[in-house]
Structures are given as C-alpha cells and as structure tokens.
Amino acid sequence: MEKILIIEDDESIAMLEKDYLETRDFDVTIISNGSKGLEEALKNSYSLIVLDIMLPEYDGFYILRAIREKTNIPVLLVSAKSLEIDKIKGLGLGADDYITKPFNFNEFLARVDAHLNRYKRLTEKNENGDSLIFDGLIIETKKRKVFVNEKEIVLTNKEFELLLFLAKNENIVFNKEKLMDEIWGYESFGDTSTVTVHVKRIREKIEKESKNKAYLQTVWGTGYRFSSQ
C-alpha cells in the first residue's frame, strides 16, 4: 500500500484530503505542525508528501528545502496563496507540483496519481545504456547523476527527468505542453510555467560549471531543445 504524508494545519482540509486519498486505498498520515512534519518526512518512508506552505514553526518552503537535501520523492505543495512568486519559489526549491486552495478534489487526486505513477516507473525503470556523454556533460541514466566538466551537479527528480528527456532527443524542439505531458504526466491540469521554472533552474546549475555553455536552448515562440554543439 502506498503511504502518503499530509503536512497541513487546517484540520478540515487535511481530513478531506485524507478521505479522498483513502478512497484510492492509500495509507495516509496527517501532521499539523511544521517541525513535527519535517521530522516525520525524514524519519519514515513515504511515496508522496502533500505539503502546505503556511504552517506553525517551520513553513512549507523550509520543509521542502530540507526534504530535497535527503530525497527526491514527489512533493505536492498546497497553498491558499495564488501569487506567482510563491509558485516559482516552490518549484525552484524542488516541488513537483503546486496547487492553490480551494481546489477541485478530482484534480487533486489526478495530480497525486500522476506523480506516484511516474515516480514508480522511474524508480523501477532499467535503462539500456549507462550514460549519455556530450561535450563536457555526462548524464548517468541508471545512477541518475549529472556531471559537468567532471563536477557532479545535484538536480531534483523533475530537473533530472527533464534534462534526460531533452538530451535523449537532441536538437528536437518541444513545446511546453509536450514537456508537461512527458515529464509531469498530465495535460489538462498542467501549468506551463512549471516547465519554464525547471529549465531556468537546470541552466543555473549546469551553465555555471560549463563556462556558460547553453545545453538547453530556447526557441522563441516554440519551446526548448537540447544541443551539445
């Protein structure tokens, strides 16, 4: 049975999320305090974490940052804030998704299912071939590691997936909607700004070590492509 952790201080929302998740036979734990939620997230093994931003003691951004130092399990941020800057910050810290209260619970379940299924496929997948090797860039597909000029670059789960997908399809241009479908696994609920944030984060990490070599290129009005030239 898949285990899901909800870190949410609004009891009514937490119980609704729990009730809906239990209709899918998930084993659900609720923690209403930020510091205790972080402790639980790091102490026990969960398949997905539903994380509120506004929490007592530690906020969701602090918890997310600490989780990402230890694990790449899916994290779905939930917030009453609809400000774009909060979404960008959350995705930039490594959240897999962001949903704003109040939300449709069918949409909530669809997002949970998409992230669980994709993460499960990724962790079980056995790639043919160990590495993709480019000029100054190595992507180890089985170990899920990235090196630029022999220095390891730490990417979040979704950052790695996005870079790997584009690198496997070098010089092919993909629009944001296609990348949402390939990496996040859903279309109708997708917000393409998620792609923009992840591309920006990957660039910040790898171009710093590659002497500003642009592996991920923007094709204006169309999308993105990977190029090692």
Side-chain angles (χ1 to χ4, degrees), residues 15 22 25-26 37 40 55 58 109-110 127 132 137 145 153 158 169-170 173 182 189 192 196 201 208 215 218:
M15 290 306 300
E22 287 181 342
D25 294 324
F26 293 125
E40 178 68 19
L55 292 163
Y58 296 160
L109 286 176
E127 297 281 356
L132 297 177
L137 173 67
K145 293 184 176 182
I153 307 299
K158 285 292 184 289
N169 297 279
E170 186 172 8
V173 179
E182 289 290 338
F189 302 125
T192 58
T196 304
R201 293 284 294 176
K208 179 180 178 181
Y215 292 105
T218 299

Side-chain angles (χ1 to χ4, degrees), residues 13-176:
I13 291 178
M15 290 306 300
L16 274 174
E17 291 172 345
K18 184 175 188 290
D19 289 344
Y20 271 83
L21 290 168
E22 287 181 342
T23 65
R24 301 290 181 86
D25 294 324
F26 293 125
D27 181 4
V28 182
T29 299
I30 297 175
I31 303 290
S32 60
N33 175 280
S35 61
K36 292 180 181 178
L38 176 57
E39 181 182 356
E40 178 68 19
L42 298 180
K43 181 176 66 176
N44 294 304
S45 178
Y46 288 93
S47 300
L48 181 139
I49 297 173
V50 179
L51 176 62
D52 187 30
I53 291 180
M54 302 300 293
L55 292 163
E57 296 192 29
Y58 296 160
D59 69 14
F61 294 133
Y62 180 92
I63 294 169
L64 176 59
R65 187 182 292 109
I67 289 172
R68 280 294 171 256
E69 291 177 355
K70 301 292 185 180
T71 179
N72 279 325
I73 68 169
V75 176
L76 173 59
L77 276 183
V78 179
S79 177
K81 294 183 175 182
S82 58
L83 295 177
E84 188 72 10
I85 191 171
D86 290 310
K87 180 172 185 176
I88 291 172
K89 182 177 181 180
L91 294 172
L93 289 173
D96 294 274
D97 206 350
Y98 186 109
I99 189 168
T100 304
K101 304 174 187 176
F103 50 80
N104 179 286
F105 276 92
N106 288 326
E107 175 184 347
F108 171 73
L109 286 176
R111 294 193 185 205
V112 167
D113 286 340
H115 291 298
L116 282 173
N117 291 336
R118 184 163 293 273
Y119 186 69
K120 186 175 181 179
R121 288 198 302 271
L122 283 168
T123 53
E124 293 177 348
K125 190 173 182 180
N126 184 18
E127 297 281 356
N128 294 320
D130 293 333
S131 302
L132 297 177
I133 301 174
F134 305 95
D135 181 21
L137 173 67
I138 298 175
I139 304 173
E140 295 189 354
T141 57
K142 289 184 178 180
K143 295 181 179 180
R144 299 179 66 78
K145 293 184 176 182
V146 174
F147 297 87
V148 177
N149 293 330
E150 300 183 355
K151 180 177 179 179
E152 183 173 359
I153 307 299
V154 179
L155 300 181
T156 68
N157 191 46
K158 285 292 184 289
E159 288 167 359
F160 181 86
E161 294 172 39
L162 180 56
L163 176 62
L164 180 61
F165 176 77
L166 289 169
K168 283 183 172 181
N169 297 279
E170 186 172 8
N171 295 320
I172 299 175
V173 179
F174 294 95
N175 62 31
K176 294 177 184 178

